[in-house]
Amino acid sequence: MNDPVNEPVTRPAPGPATGAATGPGAGPVTGLATGELLGRHRAVLPDWLALYYADPIEITHGEGRHVWDADGNRYLDFFGGILTTMTAHALPEVTKAIAEQAGRIVHSSTLYLNRPMVELAERVAQLSGIPDARVFFTTSGTEANDTALLLATAYRSSNQILAMRNSYHGRSFSTVGITGNKGWSPTGLSPLQTLYVHGGVRTRGPYARLSDADFIAACVEDLRDLLGHTRPPAALIAEPVQGVGGFTSPPDGLYAAFREVLRERGVLWISDEVQTGWGRTGDHFWGWQAHGRSGPPDILTFAKGIGNGMSIGGVVARAEIMNCLDSNSISTFGGSPVTMAAGLANLTYLLEHDLQGNARRVGGLLIELLRAVAAQVPAVREVRGRGLMIGIELARPGTDEADPDAAAAVLEAARAGGLLIGKGGGHDTSALRIAPPLTLTVAEAEEGASILEDALRSLGS
């Protein structure tokens, strides 16, 4: 079995544009074509469609853990298109599977038997840990969570949902209604009644100074108290590691403790694995397994990484829950032959190359390197995460006050150094999000940490 640390993707990288800066320290070059495209973007697309950077970039191609922009600048990619390029850019096994399937048939819909869809569903059902599992494919994590909410509310005959504070579950009308992060929830209107629970953020809030055991006990007591004042909800939906929230998480075991309380009342547990699934956290294949004392969730949602850039989402649930709907349904694009072929090839590569193990090993090294840097930068409040899902929270030195300006400055400085990272957090977007493809090598981890060190140190200059 090949080791992805020592045997990264080796197809020749495309050459840079003539005269462009290509080294990590060269700084970005912004051309006239990029500025012209930005003007066209602003003329026809919504104002709320966020773009990174003061001078946004157009990414034109990628290879392995690197991407190039339209001006020929080369970047080490530590964000993977929002955790979606899970294995590598232009992974030959995936691109070959896409091309071969597209040469046979691109689309048919779920009204016809679809061999790649059945094959991927069989593998996901087995990997999920959910007994008698059924799988429904969608085109995004938003749609997957929307489907999970439909199933839970229909199964329980309740439109009341428990969600975590600082959470994010998508951009549809129902999922923004349960999102506990005000920066990503543009309306208070919702078809659901949502109650928000403590526990998703370990180092902020009223229980932050408690020990892990006392933190869990306090959150469980709060949940019991909340349930004592309301009719039994349909479900609790929770991200094991909050993605847009800045890669925050509770102590291991919190959701197992919640599950015991929920079971007393028949309330379902939905684990939102859109960002945590497929081994990214290193220690576990699914994020829920860090809280697995009480077994798998009733419903599991997934998306992003499984398609390595192709639009795949999905829901896994016990048959009695999945089959509770009493009307017909189809999906026009969910389970497309091309995306299913990509998902099968990508999942096979991930398992055969033990990318979960690579995330644990290389991610552990990267966290150590970043914590060593952070100890010398007063603006860093916390370095957190597991595997290749790492958050760096910034605050005004000497305080716990979030510093979104510092996060924006580091994002820009990292880009100038040749590194792409993300932002997030429930406190005015003051956390940096680091989530490279799972084939990241030790050398690339060290290179990225060095660029981040320079970017963080620039805050004091």
Side-chain angles (χ1 to χ4, degrees):
M1 186 175 294
N2 295 331
D3 182 347
V5 172
N6 296 318
E7 296 190 23
V9 178
T10 55
R11 284 172 50 206
T18 303
T22 59
V29 175
T30 301
L32 293 175
T34 302
E36 185 263 346
L37 183 61
L38 177 59
R40 292 165 58 192
H41 173 104
R42 288 173 172 164
V44 296
L45 296 172
D47 291 345
W48 42 259
L49 194 62
L51 286 169
Y52 272 173
Y53 308 117
D55 292 314
I57 61 175
E58 177 193 0
I59 293 176
T60 58
H61 49 275
E63 184 74 29
R65 275 72 53 198
H66 291 86
V67 295
W68 284 257
D69 69 19
D71 300 305
N73 301 300
R74 177 177 180 263
Y75 303 95
L76 183 58
D77 185 3
F78 270 27
F79 202 39
I82 319 178
L83 291 81
T84 300
T85 304
M86 178 171 68
T87 47
H89 291 281
L91 187 69
E93 289 82 351
V94 174
T95 56
K96 179 182 177 183
I98 292 169
E100 289 180 349
Q101 180 57 54
R104 290 190 290 270
I105 187 167
V106 171
H107 176 72
S108 63
S109 91
T110 56
L111 289 171
Y112 304 93
L113 286 173
N114 178 336
R115 189 174 300 273
M117 181 170 67
V118 172
E119 291 175 351
L120 185 56
E122 288 171 338
R123 300 194 72 178
V124 172
Q126 187 274 325
L127 289 165
S128 73
I130 295 175
D132 195 21
R134 300 294 187 272
V135 182
F136 176 73
F137 289 107
T138 67
T139 61
S140 69
T142 290
E143 190 186 348
N145 285 331
D146 199 69
T147 302
L149 295 170
L150 170 64
L151 293 171
T153 53
Y155 183 78
R156 293 276 295 152
S157 298
S158 168
N159 74 332
Q160 192 155 274
I161 296 293
L162 300 175
M164 304 303 295
R165 298 179 184 187
N166 195 51
S167 60
Y168 175 83
H169 298 289
R171 58 172 179 77
S172 67
F173 188 46
S174 69
T175 55
V176 297
I178 62 165
T179 287
N181 185 318
K182 67 179 181 180
W184 294 93
S185 186
T187 177
L189 303 174
S190 176
L192 303 168
Q193 295 180 6
T194 307
L195 301 172
Y196 293 101
V197 180
H198 282 297
V201 182
R202 177 65 183 90
T203 61
R204 286 188 181 271
Y207 307 143
R209 290 175 174 79
L210 300 178
S211 68
D212 283 355
D214 288 343
F215 180 95
I216 290 174
C219 291
V220 168
E221 185 60 29
D222 177 72
L223 175 63
R224 285 189 184 277
D225 181 69
L226 178 63
L227 292 173
H229 295 285
T230 184
R231 297 180 63 83
L236 165 72
I237 185 169
E239 306 157 273
V241 179
Q242 295 183 327
V244 171
F247 294 169
T248 62
S249 62
D252 289 356
L254 175 73
Y255 293 120
F258 276 3
R259 185 80 182 282
E260 294 175 6
V261 177
L262 299 174
R263 275 179 169 159
E264 295 170 3
R265 295 160 174 80
V267 180
L268 303 178
W269 173 28
I270 304 169
S271 185
D272 178 344
E273 302 274 355
V274 169
Q275 298 196 31
T276 52
W278 318 110
R280 176 165 287 282
T281 63
D283 293 334
H284 305 286
F285 193 78
W286 302 108
W288 69 260
Q289 291 171 319
H291 309 269
R293 186 178 72 235
S294 58
D298 299 292
I299 303 174
L300 179 151
T301 62
F302 62 86
K304 290 193 182 291
I306 181 61
N308 203 43
M310 298 298 286
S311 54
I312 305 176
V315 184
V316 191
R318 299 194 315 271
E320 64 178 301
I321 297 173
M322 185 68 81
N323 296 334
C324 76
L325 304 181
D326 61 3
S327 61
N328 294 324
S329 190
I330 63 167
S331 181
T332 303
F333 293 109
S336 140
V338 173
T339 61
M340 296 295 95
L344 275 167
N346 197 44
L347 181 58
T348 298
Y349 187 92
L350 178 138
L351 296 173
E352 290 183 350
H353 293 78
D354 186 25
L355 296 194
Q356 177 184 335
N358 194 58
R360 182 177 63 253
R361 294 185 296 272
V362 181
L365 169 67
L366 183 55
I367 289 173
E368 288 181 8
L369 292 172
L370 294 176
R371 284 180 173 157
V373 171
Q376 304 174 53
V377 179
V380 177
R381 180 178 182 271
E382 181 183 22
V383 177
R384 55 182 176 245
R386 58 203 317 165
L388 287 172
M389 195 172 185
I390 305 167
I392 303 176
E393 185 175 343
L394 303 179
R396 290 178 174 82
T399 76
D400 279 342
E401 185 180 351
D403 195 344
D405 292 338
V410 173
L411 193 82
E412 294 280 0
R415 175 209 168 180
L419 180 72
L420 303 185
I421 57 176
K423 290 191 300 179
H427 295 271
D428 299 317
T429 318
S430 60
L432 307 172
R433 299 166 68 199
I434 298 160
L438 301 190
T439 50
L440 186 75
T441 67
V442 168
E444 289 163 346
E446 292 172 340
E447 178 188 350
S450 177
I451 297 171
L452 270 170
E453 178 176 7
D454 291 342
L456 287 165
R457 289 185 184 279
S458 72
L459 291 174
S461 60

